[in-house]
Structure formats: structure tokens, C-alpha cells
Amino acid sequence: MCIRDRVSTQSTGNWNMRQTVLLFSLVLSFSLVSSHSWVACTDYRGARGITGDNYNEADCFGFARNWETFNGGGFGVDRGYNYLPGGGAPCNPAAPRTTPFEAAYSDQYPMATYVPGRQVCLAWPSKNHVAASCTNAYIPDNGVKLLISGVNPSQDPTQAEFDNNVLVDWGANPFGEIAFKGYQNCSAFCDNMDKSLCSQCFIVPNLQDGIYTVQWWWEFNEGSIYTNCFEIRVGGGTTPIGSTPTDSSGSTPTDSSGTTPTDSSGTTPTGSSGTSNPTSPPSTLPPVPLSLDAIQPSLLPIEITTSGEFVVKVTYNAAGPRVLVVDLLDTPTYAWYGKGQINVTTGENTAEMTVMIYKPPPMGTNYILKGWLVSEADFNKADPWAYQLSAFEVPVEVGTEVVYPDNNVVPGNNDSEGKGLSGGAIFGIILLVLLIVIVIALILVYQFKRDAFNSLFGPKKAVITHSDDTDYKLMSNK
């Protein structure tokens, strides 16, 4: 066989292999095309680790529009809620916007309330669309994200308006990889490929108080986009609502003119793809109910340095003895740079811990603080993060100083736990003490040498003594 024949044969073999992989993935994709997915919960507070958590509707505190009509048969059961816009209306006409908007929700299936600075998780069924050992690595995912309207909209935004205002973009699972990212962040997928729990979380930015329309957006195959729309109330309250929102007096909130508050600037909040990023969350956050073995960031820095340490606070609700960990990681590789951990006991509380930077990270914005909770027994295993009970990820910048939201003040360490000085402060004190000791030693040595020199070579002193006969004698001091 000549070289040309061998090259031709090898090229044909590679082409056939590529054709086979592509054909296999396409066949699998089309075989699953009848399922697809939708957002099932817009504020999910249940356990959502990677070890086999199941969806629990009791842990859902917010739903999509008209969920009372479409819910039935359990999590992930097809009821016609999945929607493929195909260039049409951005929100499902079968679950339309209502007037008033509260009519699309109920006490049993309320609208979600989002608090700026709080982590919110959303949940959806897997519907067979996950790359895993029980399927294959070639399950498509072209991204999942949330798009948002301006405050208090009178109608649904167009798709172009939604596209210009990204609330959070969770990205996609890399094609050809089993990574459980993007839409495919699904726990226990191989236990129930059609109805396993999938979820993603984000920290609510500083949006103006009011009502917003949000679109859950997922692209399966390229160009095959599925959406669901839902309303959220943004504000300091934590009770989900199904009726007209009211203030503490029980009346509908209005401004001084008696009208519903609106954005005075007329601008729409923007997210990761906008020209103005959301501002940092407040340092002090109102309490929010936590399910068992759930965690919630309470105080995290927005900027840290390349070395040293910093303080974080995390609220938890432990079902037993647990270890609470906060790691400093980069994205998208999740390389590790620092860590803090603390043992916590049963119950709900807020833990404060110090995160040490063990490996200096280069300055930049591609970092996260990942908090995760694990049982004490599982923490001692080889890969404890594989047994996490709950987790959160919050972006942080590596810069020149440690900065916290709002007051830009590093928390003090004079709390009841009696935390000591930092390593840098202790080192500085030690150097100062050593310098003082050296100076004193030099002074003493100088004084001793001067006295010895004067004793040997200095002038003689005269001593006058008084005798009994009152005569004075001059005596040498030798």
C-alpha cells in the first residue's frame, strides 16, 4: 500500500469515527426530544448536593406562573408546561401574564420573594438530558440562564428586552464531558434519569424593591430554546406571597403620590451581559428560613488579597454534627487557593470562621468563595466534597485589600470566641520586641566598656577623710 493509500485509509477511519460519534449523539438527542424541561421551583431551599438528593415540594417557596393548573402527578411529570418559543411570545401563552399578576399564584403555589444579597436556588427536572455514566458524554446543553424585566412592568418584555438584561448566566455543560454543569447540574441523575433534581443558585443583586418578571431560559440543541416566565417580588420581606403584596400595615405599598413605586431613572437592571453590573449585597441580611442541612452566606468579602486571611460568616441549619467549609477557588477550573472550616452542632445558627490563603492567587475577578456543608463522618473520607449536603458559590475579587460590602470595614476579632491576632500582626510584634532587646543590649555593652576603660586609664580620684584631730588628709583612692 502506498503512502497516499495509507493516509486516505486513516483519514477515512477518523471520519467514520467522527460520523459514528455524531450520529450516536444525534440519534440519542432525537430519541429524547419528547421530554425537554421547565422550571419547577423558583425558590428552592431543600438539600441539593451531588450525592442523591430528591426534590421535595415542601422546600419550594416560589413557583412559576399558573403552576396550580399545571402541577400534578409529581415532580417532572409532563403536563404541557414546557414551551418552545420558536420566535413567538417569550412566555408560554398557556401560562399567560394575568391582571392583576397575583392571580397567577396562590397560597399553595406562591410567587417567590427575593432578598438582595441572599442566595436563591431554582429547580427543574432532568428529563433525561444529562451527560452521565448511565447515558453518555454527548448530551447537548447550550446554556441555562435567567433574564429579567425592569421593575414593575405593565406587560411581558419582548425577547430582545429579556436578552439585554441577564440576571444570571449559569453557562452550559461542555459537550463530550460528564461534568454536571449548566442545565445538567443534576443530583442522582442515574437513579431517575427522567425526574431527578437539577438546580442552580445565585446571589440576588441589589435590585430596586418591586415586582419583576423573570424568564428561565434553556437552550438544548443549538437553536432549540425552552422558556418559562414567573414573577418575583424583590424586597426585605421573606414570606412568599400568593395574594396582593402588602406592607406591615396590611395595605398595598405606594409612594408619596399614592401610586405603585417605579424606577425613577427609567432604566432596567442589568446583569452579566449588561453595561452596568449589579452592586454588592448588603453586609447585614435579614433572616430567612433554612431547611435542614442548608447553608446561607451571611457576611462575605467582595475583595480579598493575595495572602493572609479574612473572616466570613455563614448561617446554617444542621441536622447533626457537621463540618462547615469555605474554599477559595478560581473559575472555571476550580483550582484551590485557600480554606476555612469549623465544626458545628445540631440546630440553626451563624458561624464565623477565618479563611486562610495557602496558595497566593493572581489578582483578578475569576474567583469564587464556595461554602459547603458535610457530616463529620463524611468529612474524614478521601473526597469529602463528594458528600456535601448543601453548598453556595459567591464571586469574589482578588485585589489589594480585604473589602466587605457597605461599610468597607474588616470585621473585628474581639468576639466571644476570643479570636487572637493575625499571623502578620504577631510577626510584627515579635520583630519589634527583638529590636528593642537588641537596642537595650547595645546600650548595656557600651556602658560596660566605658566604665571599664575609665577604671583602667581614667584620672585618679581624690578622697578626703576627716580624722579625730580634725586634720584633713589627702588620700589616694588606690
Side-chain angles (χ1 to χ4, degrees), residues 7 9 19 51 69 88 109 133 180 198 353 376 393 469 477:
V7 172
T9 302
Q19 282 184 314
T51 58
T69 301
Y109 302 107
S133 58
F180 299 101
C198 304
M353 75 180 80
E376 286 187 356
E393 295 181 2
D469 56 0
N477 65 343

Side-chain angles (χ1 to χ4, degrees), residues 41-298:
C41 180
T42 61
D43 182 7
Y44 189 66
R45 303 180 190 174
R48 41 172 299 280
I50 61 174
T51 58
D53 296 314
N54 295 314
Y55 178 81
N56 182 2
E57 191 169 281
D59 291 323
C60 183
F61 289 77
F63 296 84
R65 286 180 184 171
N66 301 111
W67 190 250
E68 190 163 23
T69 301
F70 290 91
N71 182 60
F75 181 71
V77 175
D78 290 276
R79 301 271 294 175
Y81 202 68
N82 58 285
Y83 173 61
L84 183 69
C91 302
N92 190 348
R97 181 186 186 88
T98 59
T99 303
F101 64 86
E102 298 89 353
Y105 304 91
S106 66
D107 291 336
Q108 185 176 0
Y109 302 107
M111 181 177 72
T113 296
Y114 287 4
V115 179
R118 284 286 179 194
Q119 176 178 268
V120 172
C121 300
L122 285 80
W124 54 87
S126 55
K127 306 308 296 177
N128 301 294
H129 303 309
V130 178
S133 58
C134 53
T135 53
N136 67 87
Y138 301 98
I139 306 297
D141 175 21
N142 284 280
V144 61
K145 56 189 174 182
L146 296 181
L147 311 174
I148 191 170
S149 72
V151 65
N152 301 319
S154 59
Q155 60 185 14
D156 287 341
T158 64
Q159 190 59 54
E161 290 170 336
F162 269 135
D163 291 340
N164 286 332
N165 295 282
V166 180
L167 180 60
V168 59
D169 188 342
W170 290 303
N173 190 76
F175 186 71
E177 296 183 22
I178 298 176
F180 299 101
K181 294 181 178 180
Y183 168 90
Q184 299 180 14
N185 183 36
C186 308
S187 61
F189 171 71
C190 290
D191 292 342
N192 189 339
M193 292 189 292
D194 184 46
K195 299 178 179 64
S196 62
L197 169 65
C198 304
S199 63
Q200 288 285 5
C201 303
F202 73 105
I203 299 297
V204 180
N206 272 5
L207 298 172
Q208 180 184 349
D209 286 1
I211 304 300
Y212 295 81
T213 296
V214 179
Q215 183 191 59
W216 179 84
W217 184 101
W218 170 52
E219 187 173 14
F220 176 39
N221 290 302
E222 186 173 355
S224 297
I225 298 170
Y226 293 83
T227 67
N228 293 120
C229 294
F230 57 95
E231 276 68 45
I232 61 170
R233 166 188 261 186
V234 172
T238 59
T239 304
I241 63 170
S243 55
T244 303
T246 59
D247 59 19
S248 57
S249 66
S251 59
T252 303
T254 58
D255 61 17
S256 57
S257 65
T259 60
T260 302
T262 58
D263 188 346
S264 58
S265 66
T267 58
T268 303
T270 58
S272 58
S273 67
T275 57
S276 176
N277 290 324
T279 56
S280 304
S283 58
T284 303
L285 301 173
V288 62
L290 289 178
S291 58
L292 283 178
D293 284 330
I295 60 174
Q296 180 77 56
S298 178

